[in-house]
Amino acid sequence: MPQISIANSTTETFLPPPYAEPHVRRQMDDLLAEVSEAIPPVWPLKDYVAVNPFMGLTQRPFLEARTFLKLFSDCETLMPAEYFARQNATGAFSIDEIEAAIEELYPESESQSFHLSPRQVVEQLKELDGQENLRDQDDVDQVAAHGNPSRAIKTIAEHADALSGFNWSEAIVDEISRHCSAHYDEGQAVWKSPWSDLSLFQAWRSAASIDRNIESLGLRGFRQFVSSLPHAPDAAIVYLLKRMRVPVHLWRLVLLCQAFSVPGWSFWAKYQDQWSDHDQEYQGMDLIALLAIRLAYDVALSESLALEIDWDSISHNESASFQTTADQKSDDAKLRFVLLRATEIAVRDRLLQSLSIQQHWHDSSLWLTNSNASNSRKLAQMVFCIDVRSERIRRHLETNSEEIETFGFAGFFGMPIEFVKLGQNSGDSHVPVLLKPQFQLHEGLHETESPCEQDAIKHRRLIRSWRNLWKSFQTSAVGCFSFVETTGLLFGWKLWARNAALSNKLNDADHDGVTAEDSEKLGPTLRGLNHQDITTTHQADLAESMLRNLGLTEDFARLVVFCGHASQTENNPLAASLDCGACGGHSGEPNARMAAILLNQSYIRSALADRGIVIPADTCFLAGLHNTTTDEIKFFDLDEVPASHKGDVQDLMEQASIAGRHTRLERMPIVSSESQNAMLRRAKDWSEVRPEWGLAGNAAFIVGPRSMTKAANLHGRSFLHSYDAAKDPDGSVLETIMTAPMIVAHWINMQYYASAVDHHHFGSGNKTVHNVVGQFGILSGNGGDLMTGLPWQSLHTGDEFQHQPLRLQAVIAAARSSIESVIAKHELVADLLSNGWLHLVAIDDGQLYQYSQTGSWKTIEQSREPVPA
């Protein structure tokens, strides 16, 4: 541990000129780039995207990344041993999986070894389980409370906390949160910050130089200190590090420590740097600015309290190269790492055992004819998002009717759109975050209804103006004090209406100004595409790419339905986290409707026929929306269905209704609901903290033909992507799947994993005290750091974890050579696999192979035992 001393007199003022030597700037630029690389972004609430919080560390092996984090933070990547003891007691894994995990992670040929036998591990787990039966929440609280006492690098505020008895760390985080909330506000605040047009650092510097708040807490002379800082944030960082006498070789760890002392705002600043479209003079400098701000509080505190850190003692313990090792004798990390892998192996083996693995292949990897297939033409083919919540309803649709076939595909259906609602000039991006929208898709009525459309636009704008005026009155100096007294009865009526489950009618702003009859006709149109250079040829390219990547190029049913999905929830700031991950936290409805509209156009079908995709004249394309809270499927644009297909559509709607009921029955025990009606009410209940479980429980990403998974009950835990290797001879479709949908699934998986494993740093606390800040994020209560992950209620039932934290298991039915080609071509994929952030099993020639972290394949022997229920 570093030596800390309190000087007897005021420390000497040390003001070296920033960048006195030219090489310091070059070193600093490289250093800041390295620090930034370790920080993930967090998206705003309206575009909430699931992100791997450890994405900046995936170049390191999983366990080494944990050791690296422990140098400068309290962050955790492994569940406590007590959790695994409870898992073992319930039969989640056995001694066989423990043995397999030890053999995989610590082979005898390796210099690193594991000193416990499988039997000794089991005995330790029994001892832990026999002790006081702690709850999962207790484990989480203990990890947050105890932190990482052996950590080498700490903030000055943390040292001051231990010596002064005052929580300086919390006070500084509150100060930073107050300034950042005001600076990034997107219209929630009544009074705009006068410095919001400046860069983050300049805005903070202007405000902090006159703000007495932190001085009132005891940080003397802070305003004068801030005024003396260099105007550029990177120069300020050099100035502050030198003023604190930090050796250059420790700068990176010190800066990382500063960033992870306010992880939420660091993640938000990273988003501003790399993903935000805001124009500003210092674009790309937000994270640097935040580091300078955080460091300024530490340096000022150090000098105010006369704290001196013996950096030499740290230098003796940590090498300048920062090459960490996972071999820590005082840590039980190896044991917990083995137990994590044992749990994953158990889940993997049960999953593989449930699949219908074909034992023989025809000519170069062709699957044998599916025994369940019929030569007769299907009534309907339904394309769902790969989202784990689609698995249940797909299974029930196919079980209830042999006339329905389902597919899994990315929920944006290959339509890279920015969807602009009626009467607006800009909209939301309905694409995965890895992509950018290529064009705007505008909402409207049918072409013949243009006069009605213009009237609706005028009516909408009028209503919005009145709402803005009403909100201004609510928050004005005139209305704020008397508002509750004068309008209390009106809000009492609104509260009663919400309790009566009428809130969906009262708050439905999507169709303002449109009659009930016309609202059914409201939806995406193809108008304006040519003006954006999205020609008919480009439109045909989109349609062809979608069908080929889906593998649906022949044997079309009479009805083909693109079924997007969305969640229905009330009073939930994180509602977008329950929507489509492939659509940037939005509904897949406009994408599905555009896909159907395109493929119903005669000019698109003609162009596709010229390219070898012949769609029968009697095939009709439809769009639907799967409500993941109620498991109801809504179909769109039914007035466009030809009379010859009306009966088919009615049959399909009846089958969808039956499948929805069966899916709700299956989910009732999971959501602790006493009836299906109670489940439906959850979608409209503003007080419900668990309207649905979202993607909790996700564990696998399966790529292959539906025949492989159709007979399996995967319990809503698997992403299912349709793929036929026989139709992809060059491996281009496989490359797209492994570099886009698989990465998105991995991000989702790791967000849930991190939120469960380290809820203090990567979760968002108790949902009931969430407080929206600036319309872009949430705080827990009225202060603290920006919350970035999932709330506790999205992970835990109150008695046990609903989400079992596991790294994603990918299962791909393709030749190993094709998979290896993708891995060799894409460094990101290679890092995830070789460093243990993602697991991969190939199904090649009817045999199972596990991809190892060394890049080799190990045969997995299939068990003949029955699959546990």
Side-chain angles (χ1 to χ4, degrees):
M1 294 294 294
Q3 298 296 315
I4 309 167
S5 62
I6 302 178
N8 295 325
S9 59
T10 305
T11 56
E12 175 188 358
T13 301
F14 177 53
L15 304 175
Y19 301 133
E21 305 86 4
H23 71 277
V24 174
R25 172 173 284 280
R26 293 193 298 272
Q27 291 177 347
M28 197 62 192
D29 289 344
D30 294 340
L31 180 64
L32 291 172
E34 291 177 6
V35 172
S36 177
E37 186 179 3
I39 308 297
V42 61
W43 267 255
L45 293 176
K46 70 181 184 66
D47 302 312
Y48 194 79
V49 174
V51 174
N52 173 13
F54 310 117
M55 64 185 299
L57 304 175
T58 54
Q59 301 90 344
R60 298 171 178 268
F62 186 85
L63 196 55
E64 183 182 312
R66 177 185 184 272
T67 308
F68 180 68
L69 279 171
K70 291 293 184 182
L71 291 177
F72 53 82
S73 77
D74 293 341
C75 296
E76 182 57 81
T77 65
L78 293 169
M79 292 295 282
E82 290 80 1
Y83 165 81
F84 291 110
R86 291 193 290 272
Q87 289 285 297
N88 179 248
T90 59
F93 60 93
S94 68
I95 191 172
D96 293 335
E97 285 79 36
I98 295 174
E99 182 176 7
I102 295 174
E103 291 178 358
E104 177 183 320
L105 298 175
Y106 301 102
E108 294 182 1
S109 59
E110 297 280 334
S111 58
Q112 295 259 345
S113 60
F114 187 71
H115 301 292
L116 296 176
S117 69
R119 180 62 59 187
Q120 289 173 318
V121 171
V122 171
E123 291 302 320
Q124 283 199 15
L125 293 176
K126 288 181 178 178
E127 290 179 9
L128 287 172
D129 188 58
Q131 296 174 4
E132 182 181 357
N133 188 22
L134 294 175
R135 300 176 299 116
D136 297 316
Q137 183 67 59
D138 294 327
D139 291 341
V140 172
D141 291 341
Q142 282 190 5
V143 170
H146 294 160
N148 179 19
S150 62
R151 173 155 53 96
I153 304 293
K154 294 184 178 182
T155 65
I156 298 296
E158 289 177 294
H159 290 303
D161 293 347
L163 295 174
S164 67
F166 180 75
N167 195 333
W168 282 107
S169 297
E170 182 179 316
I172 290 173
V173 170
D174 284 343
E175 283 293 296
I176 291 175
S177 191
R178 188 164 58 88
H179 285 290
C180 287
S181 299
H183 181 72
Y184 291 113
D185 181 79
E186 296 180 357
Q188 181 174 333
V190 178
W191 292 332
K192 186 179 180 180
S193 167
W195 305 288
S196 59
D197 293 333
L198 300 177
S199 69
L200 173 62
F201 186 71
Q202 289 296 339
W204 170 82
R205 193 175 180 276
S206 300
S209 62
I210 60 175
D211 189 348
R212 297 175 180 269
N213 191 62
I214 195 71
E215 290 188 353
S216 68
L217 298 177
L219 190 54
R220 301 180 301 275
F222 187 69
R223 288 173 297 154
Q224 182 179 358
F225 175 83
V226 170
S227 299
S228 70
L229 294 176
H231 289 256
D234 49 351
I237 289 176
V238 176
Y239 168 80
L240 291 165
L241 287 169
K242 287 189 172 184
R243 186 158 175 163
M244 203 160 58
R245 293 182 171 81
V246 181
V248 174
H249 66 271
L250 289 179
W251 281 12
R252 182 171 69 146
L253 285 184
V254 169
L255 290 177
L256 283 169
C257 181
Q258 298 291 324
F260 277 84
S261 69
V262 278
W265 288 114
S266 296
F267 297 176
W268 177 252
K270 179 63 174 288
Y271 167 79
Q272 296 296 318
D273 285 348
Q274 290 196 341
W275 298 89
S276 175
D277 295 328
H278 297 318
D279 293 327
Q280 58 181 24
E281 183 180 354
Y282 293 100
Q283 182 68 39
M285 296 284 284
D286 285 62
L287 181 57
I288 296 174
L290 185 69
L291 291 172
I293 292 169
R294 181 62 187 85
L295 196 59
Y297 284 103
D298 254 17
V299 176
L301 184 63
S302 172
E303 297 182 1
S304 175
L305 300 182
L307 291 181
E308 295 182 359
I309 305 297
D310 182 3
W311 298 106
D312 290 337
S313 65
I314 298 176
S315 300
H316 294 155
N317 293 330
E318 305 296 336
S319 68
S321 64
F322 306 116
Q323 295 299 314
T324 57
T325 163
D327 188 16
Q328 295 184 357
K329 294 182 180 179
S330 61
D331 197 359
D332 64 346
K334 282 188 177 181
L335 172 63
R336 293 152 64 191
F337 190 42
V338 165
L339 295 173
L340 169 64
R341 187 63 190 130
T343 310
E344 293 169 339
I345 290 173
V347 171
R348 179 201 69 186
D349 289 349
R350 284 193 288 268
L351 170 67
L352 295 176
Q353 193 178 348
S354 70
L355 302 181
S356 300
I357 307 297
Q358 307 265 4
Q359 298 300 318
H360 303 285
W361 288 39
H362 284 310
D363 314 316
S364 64
S365 304
L366 287 177
W367 288 96
L368 287 172
T369 303
N370 179 18
S371 59
N372 294 326
S374 171
N375 293 327
S376 61
R377 189 180 183 192
K378 298 290 185 182
L379 164 69
Q381 292 162 323
M382 300 189 69
V383 185
F384 286 84
C385 181
I386 63 173
D387 189 285
V388 297
R389 291 166 291 182
S390 300
E391 185 270 328
R392 284 191 172 94
I393 200 161
R394 287 179 61 184
R395 172 164 35 88
H396 287 297
L397 280 165
E398 292 174 329
T399 300
N400 296 335
S401 174
E402 295 182 354
E403 294 297 305
I404 298 176
E405 180 181 17
T406 70
F407 295 80
F409 195 60
F412 78 114
F413 301 105
M415 301 293 125
I417 63 173
E418 176 189 335
F419 183 55
V420 182
K421 289 190 175 183
L422 185 67
Q424 297 182 355
N425 297 320
S426 62
D428 297 321
S429 299
H430 287 247
V431 291
V433 67
L434 298 174
L435 305 177
K436 291 289 185 181
Q438 294 182 12
F439 55 90
Q440 288 185 331
L441 183 70
H442 289 269
E443 184 183 43
L445 298 173
H446 297 306
E447 301 287 351
T448 57
E449 301 292 339
S450 55
C452 296
E453 186 173 289
Q454 292 303 315
D455 291 341
I457 291 173
K458 292 178 181 178
H459 194 184
R460 276 193 170 189
R461 288 174 176 169
L462 180 62
I463 290 176
R464 287 172 187 154
S465 297
W466 277 108
R467 283 179 174 167
N468 290 335
L469 182 61
W470 178 244
K471 181 179 180 181
S472 298
F473 169 73
Q474 287 178 293
T475 54
S476 69
V478 175
C480 61
F481 294 108
S482 58
F483 180 73
V484 175
E485 288 81 359
T486 57
T487 61
L489 290 179
L490 293 176
F491 275 78
W493 160 255
K494 187 175 182 179
L495 181 62
W496 178 87
R498 282 186 168 186
N499 285 330
L502 298 175
S503 58
N504 60 321
K505 296 180 181 179
L506 294 173
N507 297 326
D508 186 5
D510 289 342
H511 304 310
D512 286 341
V514 182
T515 65
E517 180 181 355
D518 284 339
S519 69
E520 294 298 322
K521 303 176 183 178
L522 190 67
T525 70
L526 301 183
R527 280 177 274 168
L529 292 187
N530 283 325
H531 295 299
Q532 303 176 66
D533 293 327
I534 308 300
T535 62
T536 54
T537 300
H538 192 165
Q539 295 170 34
D541 292 341
L542 288 174
E544 180 188 12
S545 175
M546 175 185 63
L547 292 176
R548 292 197 184 280
N549 287 330
L550 176 60
L552 182 58
T553 56
E554 57 187 357
D555 300 327
F556 290 90
R558 282 177 57 80
L559 297 175
V560 178
V561 183
F562 298 104
C563 194
H565 69 92
S567 177
Q568 183 181 355
T569 178
E570 293 285 337
N571 190 33
N572 184 6
L574 287 173
S577 69
L578 300 175
D579 279 335
C580 183
C583 299
H586 298 283
S587 160
E589 176 189 333
N591 307 75
R593 295 178 77 171
M594 181 185 179
I597 292 172
L598 273 184
L599 288 166
N600 280 329
Q601 305 301 313
S602 58
Y603 64 88
I604 295 293
R605 295 196 185 197
S606 177
L608 291 176
D610 293 340
R611 305 179 188 194
I613 302 177
V614 179
I615 300 174
D618 65 345
T619 292
C620 178
F621 290 88
L622 287 175
L625 186 70
H626 173 207
N627 184 326
T628 54
T629 311
T630 66
D631 281 310
E632 297 172 314
I633 297 179
K634 179 180 180 180
F635 294 86
F636 298 100
D637 305 318
L638 297 181
D639 57 320
E640 297 292 306
V641 175
S644 58
H645 288 63
K646 296 286 187 182
D648 296 332
V649 172
Q650 186 60 39
D651 290 344
L652 178 59
M653 292 174 67
E654 291 175 2
Q655 290 297 330
S657 179
I658 294 171
R661 288 199 300 271
H662 289 174
T663 305
R664 287 192 295 274
L665 281 171
E666 182 179 328
R667 290 176 54 230
M668 275 174 53
I670 301 172
V671 297
S672 303
S673 182
E674 65 278 5
S675 68
Q676 292 202 38
N677 286 335
M679 289 185 65
L680 296 175
R681 283 197 300 270
R682 285 172 177 266
K684 304 172 184 179
D685 187 351
W686 62 274
S687 64
E688 178 58 61
V689 294
R690 296 185 181 92
E692 62 155 293
W693 279 114
L695 293 97
N698 71 84
F701 177 77
I702 303 177
V703 181
R706 179 58 174 157
S707 59
M708 192 172 72
T709 58
K710 187 175 181 179
N713 181 349
L714 300 175
H715 305 286
R717 302 190 65 187
S718 298
F719 301 91
L720 300 180
H721 201 300
S722 296
Y723 176 68
D724 187 346
K727 296 180 180 179
D728 183 34
D730 63 354
S732 59
V733 175
L734 179 63
E735 182 178 6
T736 299
I737 293 173
M738 290 182 64
T739 56
M742 188 175 78
I743 300 301
V744 171
H746 159 71
W747 279 13
I748 293 171
N749 170 264
M750 288 309 297
Q751 185 198 44
Y752 274 84
Y753 180 93
S755 294
V757 169
D758 187 352
H759 195 73
H760 179 70
H761 291 98
F762 304 120
S764 62
N766 191 326
K767 197 173 190 177
T768 62
V769 293
H770 280 175
N771 189 14
V772 176
V773 56
Q775 296 184 356
F776 62 84
I778 56 173
L779 301 178
S780 182
N782 63 351
D785 194 17
L786 190 72
M787 299 284 100
T788 62
L790 297 162
W792 186 246
Q793 288 88 347
S794 291
L795 306 163
H796 202 273
T797 66
D799 295 319
E800 61 183 356
F801 276 102
Q802 176 65 22
H803 179 73
Q804 184 181 20
L806 305 169
R807 292 167 292 180
L808 190 69
Q809 174 65 64
V811 180
I812 302 178
R816 284 168 289 164
S817 58
S818 297
I819 296 173
E820 289 171 348
S821 296
V822 177
I823 296 172
K825 189 175 178 180
H826 296 277
E827 184 179 1
L828 171 61
V829 177
D831 284 343
L832 294 177
L833 293 170
S834 62
N835 291 325
W837 297 91
L838 173 70
H839 302 300
L840 173 63
V841 167
I843 303 177
D844 185 1
D845 197 22
Q847 179 59 57
L848 299 168
Y849 299 92
Q850 175 76 44
Y851 186 83
S852 73
Q853 292 182 218
T854 61
S856 60
W857 297 93
K858 179 182 179 182
T859 303
I860 300 176
E861 298 298 333
Q862 290 182 256
S863 173
R864 302 300 179 187
E865 298 179 3
V867 181

